[in-house]
Amino acid sequence: MDVSHLLDPLNEAQRRAVTAEDRHVLVLAGAGSGKTRVLIHRLAWLIQVEHVSPLGVLAVTFTNKAAGEMRERASQLLQVSTRPLWIGTFHGIAHRLLRMHWKEAGLPEAFQILDSEDQQRLLRRIIREEGMDEAHWPARQAQWFINARKDEGERPRHIEHGDHPVTATWVRIYERYEDYCNRGGLVDFAELLLRAHELWLEQPAVLDHYRRRLQHLLIDEFQDTNAIQYAWLRMLAGDTGRVFVVGDDDQSIYGWRGARVENVQHFMRDFPDVATVRLEQNYRSTGTILEAANALISHNQGRMGKKLWTEGPEGHPVQLYAAYNEQDEARFVVEQIRQWIDEGRRADEAAILYRTTAQSRLFEEYLLRESIPYRVYGGLRFFERVEIKDALAYLRLLLNPDDDAAFERVVNKPTRAIGDKTVSLLRAQARESGIPLWQAAGACIDQKLLAARAANAVQGFIDLLTGMHERMRDWTLGNQMQGVIDDSKLASHYEKEPPERMETRLENLRELVNAADAFVLPPEDADAGLSELQSFLSHAALEAGETQGEQWDDCVQLMTLHSAKGLEFPLVFIAGMEDGLFPHQRSIEESGGRLEEERRLCYVGMTRAREQLCLSYAEVRRMHGSESHSRPSRFIDEMPSSLLREIRPRVSAERPYVPARPSAPKRSGGGFKGQEWPFRLGQAVTHRKFGEGTVLAFEGSGEHTRVQVNFDAAGVKWLVLAYAHLEAR
DNA sequence: TCCATTGACGTTTTT
DNA sequence: CGTCAATGGA
């Protein structure tokens, strides 16, 4: 067997990982070290060299994007159909298992997936029904509590609340929530994983079947696994399975949502015969960027240890810009991007990364002003839009009328005279009898519990859905979708919105019909016994689709540091490098490794850059309405200053900067007018607080102009001219 | 039932 | 400061 196509493109460490004969393999793959390549080549190695049946391999990722990429690249390398391979996300695989074994898992055949918004709505309703104060018991927090418990594998009965009243209350909500979900056949994301784990625990025959079949398990982004995923994996591996995991403890940035970096270390303890391979050669960034990143991350304790290196060029120093305020920062970044583009580079080679989503606003503003196209990651996705979810809710009810989440969503949308009062009555009835709303609605009418008008309206809704159900039974998915939109008269509900918004909503609905039309039942879903409709709805929940915006347009990329993981750009800006913002204040205050996770986040951000990395911070930033002064991020101090180059605006005393858009200083009396500098270099000045000094330099423009003064008593300081109130002597 | 005003809140997010 | 959701009057 000629294996050169599998091994030639690999370096020595990668080769060792791909060809390892040890039972288990742990690949510590640094950023940009070719971990996906190793995973794919291992997969191909197993099949082509070790002659493992494709049916015996399970490859697990965290995102649909990664799963898609893996399947794509695997089919290229293998040159055969990848259909028999199990490649998917943890959730996708759990979902598939539950579909195939719904009986053993104790689920109804037509169970539905609740996305996180559905889950929150349901919880809000439960909290209200319990007569609790929503301000004190926010649904968001209940959701957080329940998901965290489920991520740890805990049901309400497992939770020790002792005499802690707050925990006891959340446990009660958790129980009530479970009742609702069980009654309606609803499964949230965390539940998919938990049920899949319980399937292993409670159905030894099922577990045994998969243990025999899936002898090779490949796991990507292992540092992101949570407790339940790890437990699930361990059980599946059993005594004979072979596990190949790829991860990077230095890139673990999701601890706050249950990911356990410790799993990387536990892996060596819990699994026997683990070969550890480090991938440290980096194919992405310049030597300088890597050196700075290595220095930063070395401040973390208890790492597995890894040092990135490259054969490539050293590259430029890391730029550091000390902005006066956040406007100045945005102006600077956009100016740099303008230059980059003027030099003939593409806009989509540049990315602006920030810690919090709110920071994107200013950059958007300045990019807009400069007419530079941009794209912000992380907005609402297609299947999360209200109009899409409304339309899908009708379909969900057709499939499973017990789906209370869907019922509540559309029972009065468009308005059909089923007001709050009527719905409350239905809820009370449902709760009393422990039945879904749909059945309660029927019961209320039969028992004449509703006023004539309300009864009529509710009957109308029931008739509408039963009518749809009977008429559309044999229609194609696309026609069903269109039929539901037409019959429900959903469009009329959006008519009251501003015309522009309505237009996009209607357009999205047309797009939804197109998507339904184009939908092909995936073979693995067919195998699991899913109907086209079931499969379509599950896909809508499990992969909510791309965020808006065309990826291939030539756009500057704006995103949080978190969503940048896995991506790379020639030019990267990390903005807001201030203590309190990044690292975030809450991470500084809280204990439990939060600060180290922030440092890893910074490391992730830095290692996104191929050619040029630019860090910036603002000395003054308006946050929550008030101005805050902060120190530059401690992370900057953790990088060798020899690798950094401080950038100052290109302003000199000889050729004064003429602002493109002259603006008067906001406060009167402080600034200077026109192009005239109020002071000469070397001018002796007096400051209210710092006393006497000498002007050393100017920088910045307009109201942001700063002046450097050597004070006799206070030393050298940069001051904002507009606020400094300096007087010439 | 709808719109406007008020008030609370202000990490990070995929499935 | 800016956003979003909840509330209350018309």
Side-chain angles (χ1 to χ4, degrees), chain A residues 164-194:
Chain A
H164 200 300
V166 175
T167 314
T169 305
W170 288 133
V171 172
R172 198 176 82 235
I173 299 294
Y174 185 0
E175 278 170 342
R176 298 274 299 119
Y177 172 72
E178 275 196 323
D179 290 343
Y180 269 97
C181 290
N182 291 335
R183 204 177 300 148
L186 301 170
V187 173
D188 60 50
F189 291 130
E191 183 77 17
L192 287 169
L193 301 175
L194 183 49

PDB file of all heavy atoms in Angstrom, chain A residues 164-194:
ATOM      1  N   HIS A 164     -30.615  25.180  51.314  1.00  0.00           N
ATOM      2  CA  HIS A 164     -30.392  26.408  50.556  1.00  0.00           C
ATOM      3  C   HIS A 164     -31.648  26.761  49.764  1.00  0.00           C
ATOM      4  O   HIS A 164     -31.988  26.087  48.790  1.00  0.00           O
ATOM      5  CB  HIS A 164     -29.204  26.203  49.605  1.00  0.00           C
ATOM      6  CG  HIS A 164     -28.605  27.488  49.138  1.00  0.00           C
ATOM      7  ND1 HIS A 164     -29.325  28.420  48.433  1.00  0.00           N
ATOM      8  CD2 HIS A 164     -27.365  28.015  49.292  1.00  0.00           C
ATOM      9  CE1 HIS A 164     -28.551  29.451  48.168  1.00  0.00           C
ATOM     10  NE2 HIS A 164     -27.353  29.235  48.684  1.00  0.00           N
ATOM     11  N   PRO A 165     -32.343  27.803  50.182  1.00  0.00           N
ATOM     12  CA  PRO A 165     -33.651  28.087  49.572  1.00  0.00           C
ATOM     13  C   PRO A 165     -33.557  28.477  48.098  1.00  0.00           C
ATOM     14  O   PRO A 165     -34.443  28.140  47.309  1.00  0.00           O
ATOM     15  CB  PRO A 165     -34.204  29.235  50.414  1.00  0.00           C
ATOM     16  CG  PRO A 165     -33.015  29.842  51.086  1.00  0.00           C
ATOM     17  CD  PRO A 165     -31.989  28.774  51.226  1.00  0.00           C
ATOM     18  N   VAL A 166     -32.494  29.177  47.733  1.00  0.00           N
ATOM     19  CA  VAL A 166     -32.389  29.608  46.340  1.00  0.00           C
ATOM     20  C   VAL A 166     -32.209  28.395  45.430  1.00  0.00           C
ATOM     21  O   VAL A 166     -32.928  28.218  44.444  1.00  0.00           O
ATOM     22  CB  VAL A 166     -31.207  30.593  46.157  1.00  0.00           C
ATOM     23  CG1 VAL A 166     -31.038  30.941  44.689  1.00  0.00           C
ATOM     24  CG2 VAL A 166     -31.441  31.844  46.983  1.00  0.00           C
ATOM     25  N   THR A 167     -31.260  27.536  45.791  1.00  0.00           N
ATOM     26  CA  THR A 167     -31.044  26.331  45.001  1.00  0.00           C
ATOM     27  C   THR A 167     -32.305  25.479  44.965  1.00  0.00           C
ATOM     28  O   THR A 167     -32.688  24.963  43.911  1.00  0.00           O
ATOM     29  CB  THR A 167     -29.877  25.512  45.581  1.00  0.00           C
ATOM     30  OG1 THR A 167     -28.790  26.384  45.867  1.00  0.00           O
ATOM     31  CG2 THR A 167     -29.427  24.445  44.612  1.00  0.00           C
ATOM     32  N   ALA A 168     -32.951  25.357  46.126  1.00  0.00           N
ATOM     33  CA  ALA A 168     -34.171  24.549  46.191  1.00  0.00           C
ATOM     34  C   ALA A 168     -35.219  25.071  45.214  1.00  0.00           C
ATOM     35  O   ALA A 168     -35.910  24.295  44.548  1.00  0.00           O
ATOM     36  CB  ALA A 168     -34.721  24.553  47.609  1.00  0.00           C
ATOM     37  N   THR A 169     -35.301  26.382  45.108  1.00  0.00           N
ATOM     38  CA  THR A 169     -36.279  26.965  44.186  1.00  0.00           C
ATOM     39  C   THR A 169     -35.932  26.633  42.736  1.00  0.00           C
ATOM     40  O   THR A 169     -36.800  26.240  41.959  1.00  0.00           O
ATOM     41  CB  THR A 169     -36.324  28.491  44.365  1.00  0.00           C
ATOM     42  OG1 THR A 169     -36.576  28.775  45.743  1.00  0.00           O
ATOM     43  CG2 THR A 169     -37.405  29.109  43.503  1.00  0.00           C
ATOM     44  N   TRP A 170     -34.674  26.780  42.402  1.00  0.00           N
ATOM     45  CA  TRP A 170     -34.277  26.468  41.025  1.00  0.00           C
ATOM     46  C   TRP A 170     -34.513  24.988  40.723  1.00  0.00           C
ATOM     47  O   TRP A 170     -34.909  24.635  39.611  1.00  0.00           O
ATOM     48  CB  TRP A 170     -32.810  26.825  40.774  1.00  0.00           C
ATOM     49  CG  TRP A 170     -32.530  28.303  40.691  1.00  0.00           C
ATOM     50  CD1 TRP A 170     -31.535  28.972  41.310  1.00  0.00           C
ATOM     51  CD2 TRP A 170     -33.255  29.287  39.928  1.00  0.00           C
ATOM     52  NE1 TRP A 170     -31.584  30.314  40.992  1.00  0.00           N
ATOM     53  CE2 TRP A 170     -32.623  30.534  40.147  1.00  0.00           C
ATOM     54  CE3 TRP A 170     -34.382  29.241  39.099  1.00  0.00           C
ATOM     55  CZ2 TRP A 170     -33.073  31.720  39.562  1.00  0.00           C
ATOM     56  CZ3 TRP A 170     -34.820  30.422  38.513  1.00  0.00           C
ATOM     57  CH2 TRP A 170     -34.179  31.638  38.747  1.00  0.00           C
ATOM     58  N   VAL A 171     -34.269  24.141  41.713  1.00  0.00           N
ATOM     59  CA  VAL A 171     -34.523  22.719  41.487  1.00  0.00           C
ATOM     60  C   VAL A 171     -36.005  22.487  41.211  1.00  0.00           C
ATOM     61  O   VAL A 171     -36.372  21.697  40.341  1.00  0.00           O
ATOM     62  CB  VAL A 171     -34.039  21.881  42.692  1.00  0.00           C
ATOM     63  CG1 VAL A 171     -34.470  20.428  42.549  1.00  0.00           C
ATOM     64  CG2 VAL A 171     -32.523  21.952  42.817  1.00  0.00           C
ATOM     65  N   ARG A 172     -36.856  23.213  41.934  1.00  0.00           N
ATOM     66  CA  ARG A 172     -38.297  23.063  41.702  1.00  0.00           C
ATOM     67  C   ARG A 172     -38.646  23.486  40.269  1.00  0.00           C
ATOM     68  O   ARG A 172     -39.428  22.823  39.581  1.00  0.00           O
ATOM     69  CB  ARG A 172     -39.077  23.907  42.716  1.00  0.00           C
ATOM     70  CG  ARG A 172     -40.526  23.473  42.832  1.00  0.00           C
ATOM     71  CD  ARG A 172     -41.267  24.235  43.906  1.00  0.00           C
ATOM     72  NE  ARG A 172     -41.736  25.520  43.443  1.00  0.00           N
ATOM     73  CZ  ARG A 172     -41.458  26.684  44.033  1.00  0.00           C
ATOM     74  NH1 ARG A 172     -40.701  26.707  45.112  1.00  0.00           N
ATOM     75  NH2 ARG A 172     -41.914  27.810  43.548  1.00  0.00           N
ATOM     76  N   ILE A 173     -38.058  24.587  39.837  1.00  0.00           N
ATOM     77  CA  ILE A 173     -38.311  25.042  38.466  1.00  0.00           C
ATOM     78  C   ILE A 173     -37.809  24.002  37.463  1.00  0.00           C
ATOM     79  O   ILE A 173     -38.469  23.710  36.454  1.00  0.00           O
ATOM     80  CB  ILE A 173     -37.603  26.392  38.208  1.00  0.00           C
ATOM     81  CG1 ILE A 173     -38.131  27.467  39.161  1.00  0.00           C
ATOM     82  CG2 ILE A 173     -37.764  26.849  36.764  1.00  0.00           C
ATOM     83  CD1 ILE A 173     -39.574  27.828  38.954  1.00  0.00           C
ATOM     84  N   TYR A 174     -36.646  23.465  37.760  1.00  0.00           N
ATOM     85  CA  TYR A 174     -36.061  22.417  36.913  1.00  0.00           C
ATOM     86  C   TYR A 174     -37.056  21.251  36.791  1.00  0.00           C
ATOM     87  O   TYR A 174     -37.323  20.763  35.679  1.00  0.00           O
ATOM     88  CB  TYR A 174     -34.728  21.970  37.544  1.00  0.00           C
ATOM     89  CG  TYR A 174     -33.885  20.973  36.759  1.00  0.00           C
ATOM     90  CD1 TYR A 174     -34.274  20.461  35.523  1.00  0.00           C
ATOM     91  CD2 TYR A 174     -32.645  20.548  37.281  1.00  0.00           C
ATOM     92  CE1 TYR A 174     -33.471  19.550  34.845  1.00  0.00           C
ATOM     93  CE2 TYR A 174     -31.845  19.642  36.609  1.00  0.00           C
ATOM     94  CZ  TYR A 174     -32.263  19.141  35.385  1.00  0.00           C
ATOM     95  OH  TYR A 174     -31.475  18.240  34.723  1.00  0.00           O
ATOM     96  N   GLU A 175     -37.644  20.868  37.911  1.00  0.00           N
ATOM     97  CA  GLU A 175     -38.614  19.757  37.887  1.00  0.00           C
ATOM     98  C   GLU A 175     -39.840  20.098  37.052  1.00  0.00           C
ATOM     99  O   GLU A 175     -40.289  19.303  36.223  1.00  0.00           O
ATOM    100  CB  GLU A 175     -39.062  19.422  39.325  1.00  0.00           C
ATOM    101  CG  GLU A 175     -38.077  18.534  40.037  1.00  0.00           C
ATOM    102  CD  GLU A 175     -38.389  18.400  41.527  1.00  0.00           C
ATOM    103  OE1 GLU A 175     -39.148  19.243  42.069  1.00  0.00           O
ATOM    104  OE2 GLU A 175     -37.847  17.464  42.151  1.00  0.00           O
ATOM    105  N   ARG A 176     -40.356  21.292  37.271  1.00  0.00           N
ATOM    106  CA  ARG A 176     -41.551  21.708  36.529  1.00  0.00           C
ATOM    107  C   ARG A 176     -41.223  21.753  35.026  1.00  0.00           C
ATOM    108  O   ARG A 176     -42.042  21.367  34.192  1.00  0.00           O
ATOM    109  CB  ARG A 176     -41.998  23.105  36.990  1.00  0.00           C
ATOM    110  CG  ARG A 176     -42.398  23.174  38.443  1.00  0.00           C
ATOM    111  CD  ARG A 176     -43.865  22.797  38.661  1.00  0.00           C
ATOM    112  NE  ARG A 176     -44.781  23.683  37.969  1.00  0.00           N
ATOM    113  CZ  ARG A 176     -45.637  23.294  37.039  1.00  0.00           C
ATOM    114  NH1 ARG A 176     -45.681  22.033  36.675  1.00  0.00           N
ATOM    115  NH2 ARG A 176     -46.451  24.159  36.474  1.00  0.00           N
ATOM    116  N   TYR A 177     -40.045  22.236  34.734  1.00  0.00           N
ATOM    117  CA  TYR A 177     -39.610  22.341  33.340  1.00  0.00           C
ATOM    118  C   TYR A 177     -39.531  20.957  32.708  1.00  0.00           C
ATOM    119  O   TYR A 177     -39.979  20.744  31.573  1.00  0.00           O
ATOM    120  CB  TYR A 177     -38.256  23.055  33.295  1.00  0.00           C
ATOM    121  CG  TYR A 177     -37.583  23.074  31.940  1.00  0.00           C
ATOM    122  CD1 TYR A 177     -38.067  23.868  30.902  1.00  0.00           C
ATOM    123  CD2 TYR A 177     -36.452  22.302  31.701  1.00  0.00           C
ATOM    124  CE1 TYR A 177     -37.442  23.892  29.674  1.00  0.00           C
ATOM    125  CE2 TYR A 177     -35.816  22.326  30.474  1.00  0.00           C
ATOM    126  CZ  TYR A 177     -36.321  23.117  29.460  1.00  0.00           C
ATOM    127  OH  TYR A 177     -35.690  23.128  28.234  1.00  0.00           O
ATOM    128  N   GLU A 178     -39.001  20.025  33.459  1.00  0.00           N
ATOM    129  CA  GLU A 178     -38.935  18.650  32.958  1.00  0.00           C
ATOM    130  C   GLU A 178     -40.329  18.092  32.668  1.00  0.00           C
ATOM    131  O   GLU A 178     -40.536  17.417  31.664  1.00  0.00           O
ATOM    132  CB  GLU A 178     -38.240  17.747  33.985  1.00  0.00           C
ATOM    133  CG  GLU A 178     -36.732  17.759  33.885  1.00  0.00           C
ATOM    134  CD  GLU A 178     -36.115  16.576  34.636  1.00  0.00           C
ATOM    135  OE1 GLU A 178     -36.649  16.225  35.712  1.00  0.00           O
ATOM    136  OE2 GLU A 178     -35.129  16.014  34.149  1.00  0.00           O
ATOM    137  N   ASP A 179     -41.278  18.393  33.574  1.00  0.00           N
ATOM    138  CA  ASP A 179     -42.648  17.938  33.351  1.00  0.00           C
ATOM    139  C   ASP A 179     -43.163  18.423  32.002  1.00  0.00           C
ATOM    140  O   ASP A 179     -43.720  17.658  31.215  1.00  0.00           O
ATOM    141  CB  ASP A 179     -43.583  18.476  34.447  1.00  0.00           C
ATOM    142  CG  ASP A 179     -43.314  17.810  35.790  1.00  0.00           C
ATOM    143  OD1 ASP A 179     -42.657  16.748  35.788  1.00  0.00           O
ATOM    144  OD2 ASP A 179     -43.748  18.351  36.816  1.00  0.00           O
ATOM    145  N   TYR A 180     -42.975  19.727  31.776  1.00  0.00           N
ATOM    146  CA  TYR A 180     -43.454  20.300  30.529  1.00  0.00           C
ATOM    147  C   TYR A 180     -42.809  19.638  29.333  1.00  0.00           C
ATOM    148  O   TYR A 180     -43.475  19.302  28.349  1.00  0.00           O
ATOM    149  CB  TYR A 180     -43.160  21.799  30.489  1.00  0.00           C
ATOM    150  CG  TYR A 180     -44.298  22.615  31.044  1.00  0.00           C
ATOM    151  CD1 TYR A 180     -44.291  23.058  32.358  1.00  0.00           C
ATOM    152  CD2 TYR A 180     -45.401  22.919  30.245  1.00  0.00           C
ATOM    153  CE1 TYR A 180     -45.330  23.789  32.873  1.00  0.00           C
ATOM    154  CE2 TYR A 180     -46.457  23.647  30.752  1.00  0.00           C
ATOM    155  CZ  TYR A 180     -46.415  24.090  32.063  1.00  0.00           C
ATOM    156  OH  TYR A 180     -47.454  24.802  32.562  1.00  0.00           O
ATOM    157  N   CYS A 181     -41.520  19.484  29.391  1.00  0.00           N
ATOM    158  CA  CYS A 181     -40.796  18.910  28.256  1.00  0.00           C
ATOM    159  C   CYS A 181     -41.254  17.479  27.997  1.00  0.00           C
ATOM    160  O   CYS A 181     -41.488  17.091  26.851  1.00  0.00           O
ATOM    161  CB  CYS A 181     -39.296  18.944  28.507  1.00  0.00           C
ATOM    162  SG  CYS A 181     -38.624  20.609  28.467  1.00  0.00           S
ATOM    163  N   ASN A 182     -41.398  16.715  29.066  1.00  0.00           N
ATOM    164  CA  ASN A 182     -41.814  15.330  28.890  1.00  0.00           C
ATOM    165  C   ASN A 182     -43.223  15.244  28.316  1.00  0.00           C
ATOM    166  O   ASN A 182     -43.497  14.428  27.447  1.00  0.00           O
ATOM    167  CB  ASN A 182     -41.739  14.586  30.225  1.00  0.00           C
ATOM    168  CG  ASN A 182     -40.302  14.393  30.659  1.00  0.00           C
ATOM    169  OD1 ASN A 182     -39.388  14.376  29.827  1.00  0.00           O
ATOM    170  ND2 ASN A 182     -40.085  14.259  31.957  1.00  0.00           N
ATOM    171  N   ARG A 183     -44.092  16.120  28.795  1.00  0.00           N
ATOM    172  CA  ARG A 183     -45.467  16.105  28.321  1.00  0.00           C
ATOM    173  C   ARG A 183     -45.543  16.457  26.845  1.00  0.00           C
ATOM    174  O   ARG A 183     -46.354  15.913  26.111  1.00  0.00           O
ATOM    175  CB  ARG A 183     -46.269  17.120  29.148  1.00  0.00           C
ATOM    176  CG  ARG A 183     -47.736  16.848  29.202  1.00  0.00           C
ATOM    177  CD  ARG A 183     -48.395  17.874  30.102  1.00  0.00           C
ATOM    178  NE  ARG A 183     -47.881  17.839  31.455  1.00  0.00           N
ATOM    179  CZ  ARG A 183     -47.784  18.913  32.239  1.00  0.00           C
ATOM    180  NH1 ARG A 183     -48.139  20.097  31.791  1.00  0.00           N
ATOM    181  NH2 ARG A 183     -47.311  18.792  33.448  1.00  0.00           N
ATOM    182  N   GLY A 184     -44.713  17.399  26.430  1.00  0.00           N
ATOM    183  CA  GLY A 184     -44.799  17.866  25.051  1.00  0.00           C
ATOM    184  C   GLY A 184     -43.805  17.202  24.111  1.00  0.00           C
ATOM    185  O   GLY A 184     -43.766  17.530  22.933  1.00  0.00           O
ATOM    186  N   GLY A 185     -42.996  16.291  24.627  1.00  0.00           N
ATOM    187  CA  GLY A 185     -41.999  15.667  23.772  1.00  0.00           C
ATOM    188  C   GLY A 185     -40.950  16.667  23.317  1.00  0.00           C
ATOM    189  O   GLY A 185     -40.596  16.727  22.150  1.00  0.00           O
ATOM    190  N   LEU A 186     -40.475  17.478  24.262  1.00  0.00           N
ATOM    191  CA  LEU A 186     -39.527  18.537  23.920  1.00  0.00           C
ATOM    192  C   LEU A 186     -38.165  18.249  24.539  1.00  0.00           C
ATOM    193  O   LEU A 186     -38.075  17.824  25.692  1.00  0.00           O
ATOM    194  CB  LEU A 186     -40.046  19.887  24.428  1.00  0.00           C
ATOM    195  CG  LEU A 186     -41.415  20.273  23.856  1.00  0.00           C
ATOM    196  CD1 LEU A 186     -41.991  21.485  24.558  1.00  0.00           C
ATOM    197  CD2 LEU A 186     -41.294  20.542  22.362  1.00  0.00           C
ATOM    198  N   VAL A 187     -37.142  18.499  23.773  1.00  0.00           N
ATOM    199  CA  VAL A 187     -35.786  18.181  24.195  1.00  0.00           C
ATOM    200  C   VAL A 187     -34.889  19.386  23.905  1.00  0.00           C
ATOM    201  O   VAL A 187     -34.803  19.819  22.762  1.00  0.00           O
ATOM    202  CB  VAL A 187     -35.270  16.952  23.409  1.00  0.00           C
ATOM    203  CG1 VAL A 187     -33.812  16.694  23.702  1.00  0.00           C
ATOM    204  CG2 VAL A 187     -36.107  15.725  23.725  1.00  0.00           C
ATOM    205  N   ASP A 188     -34.259  19.934  24.941  1.00  0.00           N
ATOM    206  CA  ASP A 188     -33.357  21.057  24.674  1.00  0.00           C
ATOM    207  C   ASP A 188     -31.956  20.532  24.341  1.00  0.00           C
ATOM    208  O   ASP A 188     -31.716  19.328  24.370  1.00  0.00           O
ATOM    209  CB  ASP A 188     -33.332  22.037  25.857  1.00  0.00           C
ATOM    210  CG  ASP A 188     -32.855  21.385  27.137  1.00  0.00           C
ATOM    211  OD1 ASP A 188     -31.802  20.732  27.108  1.00  0.00           O
ATOM    212  OD2 ASP A 188     -33.531  21.533  28.185  1.00  0.00           O
ATOM    213  N   PHE A 189     -31.035  21.449  24.052  1.00  0.00           N
ATOM    214  CA  PHE A 189     -29.710  21.037  23.598  1.00  0.00           C
ATOM    215  C   PHE A 189     -28.977  20.180  24.639  1.00  0.00           C
ATOM    216  O   PHE A 189     -28.408  19.138  24.317  1.00  0.00           O
ATOM    217  CB  PHE A 189     -28.861  22.256  23.238  1.00  0.00           C
ATOM    218  CG  PHE A 189     -29.331  22.967  22.011  1.00  0.00           C
ATOM    219  CD1 PHE A 189     -29.531  24.346  22.016  1.00  0.00           C
ATOM    220  CD2 PHE A 189     -29.588  22.273  20.840  1.00  0.00           C
ATOM    221  CE1 PHE A 189     -29.967  25.007  20.875  1.00  0.00           C
ATOM    222  CE2 PHE A 189     -30.019  22.916  19.698  1.00  0.00           C
ATOM    223  CZ  PHE A 189     -30.209  24.294  19.718  1.00  0.00           C
ATOM    224  N   ALA A 190     -28.990  20.666  25.878  1.00  0.00           N
ATOM    225  CA  ALA A 190     -28.279  19.923  26.922  1.00  0.00           C
ATOM    226  C   ALA A 190     -28.935  18.557  27.141  1.00  0.00           C
ATOM    227  O   ALA A 190     -28.265  17.570  27.440  1.00  0.00           O
ATOM    228  CB  ALA A 190     -28.259  20.722  28.218  1.00  0.00           C
ATOM    229  N   GLU A 191     -30.254  18.530  26.961  1.00  0.00           N
ATOM    230  CA  GLU A 191     -30.994  17.284  27.154  1.00  0.00           C
ATOM    231  C   GLU A 191     -30.576  16.227  26.129  1.00  0.00           C
ATOM    232  O   GLU A 191     -30.554  15.031  26.432  1.00  0.00           O
ATOM    233  CB  GLU A 191     -32.496  17.571  27.046  1.00  0.00           C
ATOM    234  CG  GLU A 191     -33.405  16.382  27.301  1.00  0.00           C
ATOM    235  CD  GLU A 191     -33.549  16.041  28.780  1.00  0.00           C
ATOM    236  OE1 GLU A 191     -33.218  16.898  29.619  1.00  0.00           O
ATOM    237  OE2 GLU A 191     -33.972  14.909  29.081  1.00  0.00           O
ATOM    238  N   LEU A 192     -30.256  16.657  24.933  1.00  0.00           N
ATOM    239  CA  LEU A 192     -29.806  15.712  23.909  1.00  0.00           C
ATOM    240  C   LEU A 192     -28.613  14.928  24.427  1.00  0.00           C
ATOM    241  O   LEU A 192     -28.564  13.695  24.325  1.00  0.00           O
ATOM    242  CB  LEU A 192     -29.404  16.460  22.632  1.00  0.00           C
ATOM    243  CG  LEU A 192     -30.500  17.054  21.753  1.00  0.00           C
ATOM    244  CD1 LEU A 192     -29.893  17.972  20.691  1.00  0.00           C
ATOM    245  CD2 LEU A 192     -31.316  15.962  21.083  1.00  0.00           C
ATOM    246  N   LEU A 193     -27.659  15.662  25.001  1.00  0.00           N
ATOM    247  CA  LEU A 193     -26.444  15.016  25.486  1.00  0.00           C
ATOM    248  C   LEU A 193     -26.728  14.152  26.703  1.00  0.00           C
ATOM    249  O   LEU A 193     -26.227  13.029  26.825  1.00  0.00           O
ATOM    250  CB  LEU A 193     -25.396  16.081  25.848  1.00  0.00           C
ATOM    251  CG  LEU A 193     -24.964  17.017  24.720  1.00  0.00           C
ATOM    252  CD1 LEU A 193     -24.030  18.089  25.258  1.00  0.00           C
ATOM    253  CD2 LEU A 193     -24.286  16.231  23.613  1.00  0.00           C
ATOM    254  N   LEU A 194     -27.540  14.692  27.605  1.00  0.00           N
ATOM    255  CA  LEU A 194     -27.830  13.964  28.834  1.00  0.00           C
ATOM    256  C   LEU A 194     -28.583  12.667  28.526  1.00  0.00           C
ATOM    257  O   LEU A 194     -28.273  11.608  29.063  1.00  0.00           O
ATOM    258  CB  LEU A 194     -28.634  14.865  29.781  1.00  0.00           C
ATOM    259  CG  LEU A 194     -28.984  14.314  31.149  1.00  0.00           C
ATOM    260  CD1 LEU A 194     -27.778  13.712  31.836  1.00  0.00           C
ATOM    261  CD2 LEU A 194     -29.581  15.413  32.018  1.00  0.00           C
TER     262      LEU A 194
END
